[in-house]
Amino acid sequence: MTDSPAPTSEHGAPARAGIDRNLALELVRATEAAALAASRHLGRGDKEIVDQAAVDAMRPVLNTISMRGVVVIGEGEKDEAPMLYNGEDVGDGTGPEVDFAVDPVDGTTLTAKSLPNALAIVAVSERGTMFDPGPCVYMEKIAVAADLADVVDLNDPIETTLAHIAKARGVPVPELTVCILDRPRHEADLVRRVREAGSRIKFLLDGDVAGAIMAATPDTNVDLMVGIGGTPEGVLAACALKCMGGAFYGRLYPRNDDERRLALDAGYDLDKVLTLDDMVRSDNVFVAATGVTDGELLRGVRFSPDRATTHSLSMRSLSGAVRLIETRHRISTSNLVPR
């Protein structure tokens, strides 16, 4: 009896047990649905309805996909956020068991105010491989491209980090561009020191997943993303950078003594610098993202009389495939486009 050949991925790499197809291509339909629904509320000033519309559009599409997913990174506990909550089951109940991370709109305020860089994003990895931040809502972060993985250190002062990146890139420090979330917590120290070093700053108005992806993308003119941001966004960014070949370093950042105590009681090491492999331990990670508003990464949704056009990213770490997808939806016949 002859052994059958081992299954392979779309690019000929060995397929992982349980996930033998590119889920990212299927997940794009879910992020498209979320982006299409959210964009209907562009500029109307209500971020809650933006989020609700995206979730209501995304959930039914997710539940048609052959996977047994559990939301590890969602929108809070069930009683606090009855929308794609932590612990919720997603998928049609068949297929591989997976961890699921989601932000129906990373940038609800951006969408509500018609500002750039809002996107819908989901990530999937093998069950039990995605980092659960527990009670910690925030973390310190640095995200860079793969060529800078061994150059940056989260424990270094920002001036040292900029000097090392400048040397590695062969440019002076003033030629570097740093992405920082525009928040008061950064203004007095981080922003001041980056400016004193002479580097440019690209402020992120809301949501830092796009900033991390920009830092790992050569043609965005962003050299690093740094600062304190949400842990859910950190996990999503790490999944994306694992697919793209970037580097991510993070450390949990409790907001107060109660959160610190809860984290320590749960066994979290608050001094540990988390690497990409700590954030997502699988080498078979899938990410899909669709632009809601225009940004450096993706164009936002475009509407014409009977057409809506979306721009998306589809990524898989095992194959290294990163696809840019433009989809033209016929409004009169599509079940994804809200009317």
Side-chain angles (χ1 to χ4, degrees):
M1 181 176 175
T2 304
D3 291 337
S4 60
T8 58
S9 74
E10 58 184 326
H11 293 288
R16 301 289 293 182
I19 309 181
D20 57 359
R21 68 190 197 279
N22 193 340
L23 281 173
L25 293 172
E26 300 171 58
L27 293 168
V28 165
R29 290 185 63 249
T31 57
E32 287 175 346
L36 287 161
S39 67
R40 287 297 196 184
H41 304 281
L42 188 70
R44 294 179 177 172
D46 190 339
K47 69 176 186 177
E48 301 298 331
I49 199 169
V50 167
D51 197 31
Q52 185 71 64
V55 172
D56 289 346
M58 178 180 279
R59 180 184 274 119
V61 178
L62 291 174
N63 289 334
T64 67
I65 298 174
S66 178
M67 63 178 180
R68 289 174 287 168
V70 174
V71 177
V72 175
I73 301 296
E75 298 189 291
E77 301 305 318
K78 181 177 181 179
D79 292 339
E80 299 171 5
M83 307 184 296
L84 290 169
Y85 56 85
N86 296 345
E88 180 175 352
D89 294 329
V90 291
D92 70 355
T94 68
E97 294 186 339
V98 298
D99 286 346
F100 192 83
V102 58
D103 197 339
V105 179
D106 181 43
T108 53
T109 299
L110 300 177
T111 306
K113 294 183 177 181
S114 196
L115 294 171
N117 288 320
L119 52 84
I121 184 167
V122 298
V124 165
S125 66
E126 295 158 311
R127 177 67 57 83
T129 60
M130 199 174 284
F131 180 71
D132 181 349
C136 293
V137 176
Y138 288 102
M139 69 190 317
E140 301 173 74
K141 311 174 189 178
I142 287 183
V144 293
D147 66 308
L148 300 175
D150 298 327
V151 172
V152 299
D153 187 328
L154 192 61
N155 293 313
D156 282 343
I158 187 62
E159 297 88 349
T160 302
T161 297
L162 293 172
H164 288 166
I165 291 175
K167 182 178 179 180
R169 291 272 166 92
V171 297
V173 169
E175 291 301 310
L176 300 180
T177 299
V178 184
C179 259
I180 301 174
L181 198 58
D182 189 9
R183 295 293 184 270
R185 61 179 174 265
H186 293 144
E187 188 66 35
D189 187 43
L190 181 60
V191 169
R192 175 183 58 80
R193 291 165 64 185
V194 170
R195 284 175 171 162
E196 288 177 354
S199 294
R200 296 181 291 258
I201 295 176
K202 183 177 186 64
F203 282 110
L204 304 167
L205 299 179
D206 188 28
D208 58 8
V209 176
I213 297 175
M214 281 191 277
T217 305
D219 56 0
T220 60
N221 197 35
V222 172
D223 297 284
L224 77 155
M225 189 278 293
V226 64
I228 298 167
T231 50
E233 291 84 356
V235 174
L236 281 162
C239 289
L241 267 60
K242 192 138 198 181
C243 294
M244 301 172 68
F248 182 97
Y249 301 98
R251 180 164 47 217
L252 296 175
Y253 187 86
R255 294 173 294 177
N256 49 51
D257 289 340
D258 286 343
E259 194 167 287
R260 175 178 291 275
R261 176 180 51 79
L262 288 171
L264 291 173
D265 288 348
Y268 288 91
D269 182 352
L270 300 180
D271 295 320
K272 181 178 180 179
V273 174
L274 302 165
T275 67
L276 208 57
D277 288 332
D278 293 316
M279 300 295 286
V280 55
R281 297 189 300 277
S282 173
D283 63 358
N284 200 12
V285 182
F286 306 84
V287 176
T290 300
V292 179
T293 62
D294 283 349
E296 285 86 352
L297 285 174
L298 295 164
R299 291 174 62 188
V301 179
R302 297 285 196 278
F303 286 99
S304 57
D306 192 35
R307 175 180 291 176
T309 303
T310 55
H311 293 84
S312 305
L313 281 171
S314 163
M315 299 183 272
R316 185 182 190 181
S317 64
L318 187 63
S319 63
V322 178
R323 292 179 171 88
L324 291 170
I325 300 172
E326 178 179 287
T327 307
R328 298 172 185 175
H329 309 263
R330 188 176 177 187
I331 295 174
S332 59
T333 58
S334 174
N335 61 0
L336 293 184
V337 185
R339 294 173 178 81

